[in-house]
Amino acid sequence: MAYNDQNIFAKILRGEIPCDKVYEDDYVLAFNDIAPQAPVHILVIPKGPYISIDDFGRDASAEEIQGFYAAVSKIVNEQGLASDGFRSIANTGAYGGQEVPHYHLHLLGGKKIGPMVSP
Ligand code: 5GP
């Protein structure tokens, strides 16, 4: 599957659609989820054209990967998630329930997040 640059997060990255920005640097954009599932629900996306954690891990440069996870660490500390804990989720593909085909990490916190998967 080829990356489709008409996906909603690509449009947010190009500034064609607004977002509630939490953090930005050379490698990532992070913004609040439009339909939050927890008191804090942030999406972190790489700036490069990657569909999922799969091609990100395979095709992104070491600099992009390091930049991405360094930013995640900055965000969870700046947003106060690190001390009490949080959940990070990367839904992937059909079985993973991924809706937007641009790699994104959900960061959920601000309360105890429930079971890891629904029964
Ligand atoms: P996925 O199911 O692909 O892992 O998650 C996609 C997430 O993107 C969902 O939690 C959904 O609420 C969020 N989302 C979809 N469209 C938009 C949008 O236009 N703006 C923002 N901020 N979040 C969005």
Side-chain angles (χ1 to χ4, degrees), residues 8-9 31-35 43 91 97-100 104 106:
I8 198 110
F9 293 170
F31 49 89
N32 288 313
D33 196 291
I34 204 166
L43 300 171
N91 294 323
Q98 183 177 6
E99 290 169 10
V100 181
H104 51 282
H106 296 255

Side-chain angles (χ1 to χ4, degrees), residues 53-82:
I53 197 168
D54 176 23
D55 62 328
F56 184 67
R58 185 178 54 248
D59 300 334
S61 68
E63 186 181 337
E64 287 175 297
I65 293 171
Q66 200 272 338
F68 183 85
Y69 290 104
V72 168
S73 182
K74 268 188 211 158
I75 293 161
V76 299
N77 281 279
E78 283 177 11
Q79 298 298 318
L81 294 174

Side-chain angles (χ1 to χ4, degrees), residues 20-44:
D20 183 12
K21 183 159 73 174
V22 168
Y23 177 86
E24 182 171 16
D25 65 19
D26 288 348
Y27 302 101
V28 311
L29 178 65
F31 49 89
N32 288 313
D33 196 291
I34 204 166
Q37 305 294 309
V40 180
H41 186 171
I42 296 166
L43 300 171
V44 187

